Amino acid sequence: MNTSNGRAESREQLKPAGIVVGCVGCVIITASSVYTALKMGALPWPTIFTSITALVVLRALGRKSLNEANITQVIMSAGSMVAGGLAFTIPGIWMLGLDEQVSLPQLLAVALAGTLLGLVCTALIRRRFVEESDLEYPIGTAAAQTLLASSAGGATGKKLFGSMALAGIWCALRDVAGVIPAMVAALPIPGVNFALYNSPMLCSVGFLVGGAAVAFWFAGALIGNFGIIVGGSAAGLWDVATAQGIVSSLGMGLMMGSGLGVVIKDILPKAAGYLKRGRAAGTGAAQDADDKPGMLGSLSRMDAGALGLLTAAAACLACLVLGLSPIAAVVVVALAFVTTIMSAQSVGQTGIDPMEIFGLIVLLVIAAMGEHNQVKLFFVAAIIAIACGLAGDVMSDFKTGAIIGTNPRDLWRGQAIGSLLGCIVSVAVMAALLGAYGAEAFGPGKLFVSAQASVVATMVSGIPSVAGFGIGIIAGIALYCLGIPSMMLGLGIYLPFYMSLTAAVGALIKAVYDRIGARRATAADAETTHEESGIIVASGILGGESIVGVIIALVSVASGMLG
């Protein structure tokens, strides 16, 4: 973390108003992220949404500093990555019927250990991967452009909160009053959940992801459901149940293969280059060690000592609370450093952070060392997923700060505030959802599809079709290396068809919206305003339905406790 800006600049950028606004936003964004990740099997980056929200709220309070808004959005968004790391792994425990073996203190320890490791690792690699690299960090760059270009006036606030309110009302009418059906246009196709899911949130996910990514998502859905299940069953190659096992295994393999493709194509070559440059720079340059000591940047001895204590705290949590052996805890900590570098590299190049894949890789390493307790293996995957998710978010935010001039030390402090608060919120929301709906509500075809967690559960308990999974891994690696988004293809194969179809409708709406905007735009700034308006409304819809869903769960839990 760079200290050159000094305490005076810190006081200017990290202010109480921004911290309070950021913490309130963090609670909302984290809660909605848990719900979205479990419900939709995806978690769109919240950075653009939080950037504009921070501008709207702070300017309503008479504050116009872009740097203060940037730190505020950092606090808002950090908890979502903790939420994603938990939601993409832990529900697999419930799918295996092991929920009674996990306590709330253990979940909190998992979240805290992953968060501490993520914060430590990003402090160590910031300078090398942001200031000294040519990584673009498309999410961070887009956030900087949004902050620099957005007027964030009253009309923006009306769009944001109005869309949240409408989506919330829609969700309440559907899930509480029962006035609106959950599914429409359903067709009785054996083995295929053909319908449109009456969810503004899922349409918004398709809208935000948009374009070619959703096209591959939907192509995967067609291949899995109508190619393998319907076509293969009709041809007599297998029965419907066998076909469904093949489809789920193939989808999981493609997603994992895509993550491995990121490592093989994007990370390892760059890592080798960094290693060569580091060795070359170290030869005969010992006199510059205090100025540029590799990945440590310009950390002081006090900083290094504090980060060492945080690392030790994470290791102690893994041993004392989660029950890992000291050797396993040391391996998890060491591999957290490796995987967060991989995450920073992936996000910097593609904007994609396959956090659960990194968690799976470390899970398999710990299992190979002789750890066979399934719950502990889930804990390992969750710790790594959280650390990697947070690393991707933090490094993108550092890139935003580098563009607009935000003090990196303040950014890191904002991430620490938001992520630590996110630990509490995400664990509380997951416990509320489990208490309200039960463990049987999580899994493929259930209320909370939890796609990534289902992959982890399958890896721990057994794969339905080993051949399908193996083919998926090989194809996922090959397709990614060829520039084809195999992650989205695998997601489409794996998810229920109604989810893919509804997301495709959202992407179609985005295409029409963009075409209308292109006709109306007469200048670049008009195009930017049109694009921002779409992001704001879609993000508001996503947040509105998510928050109401969480509120319904909390009310259900409270009613059960009172009853």
Side-chain angles (χ1 to χ4, degrees), residues 30 33 91 108 123 241 259 266 286 296 312 325 337-338 358 360 395 439 453 459 553:
T30 303
S33 295
L108 188 59
D266 298 331
L296 290 177
S325 69
F337 282 87
V338 176
F358 296 136
L360 271 174
M395 301 307 287
M459 291 295 294

Side-chain angles (χ1 to χ4, degrees), residues 123-365:
L124 296 178
I125 67 176
R126 178 198 66 81
R127 183 167 185 169
R128 177 60 59 88
F129 280 84
V130 175
E131 294 182 3
E132 299 176 356
S133 78
D134 56 356
L135 295 173
E136 295 182 359
Y137 289 100
I139 303 299
T141 300
Q145 293 171 347
T146 298
L147 287 169
L148 291 170
S150 177
S151 61
T156 302
K158 291 179 181 178
K159 292 175 185 175
L160 172 64
F161 297 112
S163 60
M164 290 181 71
L166 288 175
I169 292 171
W170 190 277
C171 179
L173 291 174
R174 184 192 64 206
D175 297 339
V176 179
V179 175
I180 301 175
M183 299 287 181
V184 296
L187 295 177
I189 302 175
V192 178
N193 293 316
F194 188 99
L196 277 172
Y197 185 32
N198 196 357
S199 170
M201 177 170 67
L202 186 50
C203 278
S204 293
V205 170
F207 185 98
L208 291 170
V209 176
V214 176
F216 279 99
W217 179 352
F218 191 61
L222 292 176
I223 292 170
N225 287 275
F226 290 94
I228 298 176
I229 295 178
V230 175
S233 300
L237 299 177
W238 40 62
D239 57 29
V240 171
T242 302
Q244 289 175 323
I246 294 173
V247 165
S248 64
S249 301
L250 178 64
M252 288 187 290
L254 279 166
M255 287 188 283
M256 189 165 183
S258 177
L260 294 174
V262 172
V263 176
I264 294 170
K265 180 183 177 183
D266 298 331
I267 296 173
L268 292 182
K270 283 283 185 179
Y274 285 131
L275 183 60
K276 290 180 181 178
R277 288 197 294 271
R279 287 176 177 173
T283 305
Q287 66 273 18
D288 296 330
D290 291 335
D291 183 42
K292 296 178 67 175
M295 291 185 182
L296 290 177
S298 56
L299 291 173
S300 67
R301 289 184 178 180
M302 183 177 293
D303 289 333
L307 295 178
L309 288 175
L310 294 179
T311 305
C316 288
L317 286 171
C319 288
L320 301 179
V321 182
L322 303 180
L324 295 179
S325 69
I327 295 177
V330 170
V331 171
V332 169
V333 170
L335 291 180
F337 282 87
V338 176
T339 53
T340 51
I341 290 173
M342 294 162 64
S343 175
Q345 183 74 38
S346 176
V347 174
Q349 288 188 314
T350 67
I352 299 172
D353 190 357
M355 61 180 81
E356 72 281 2
I357 301 300
F358 296 136
L360 271 174
I361 293 172
V362 179
L363 177 155
L364 293 174
V365 171

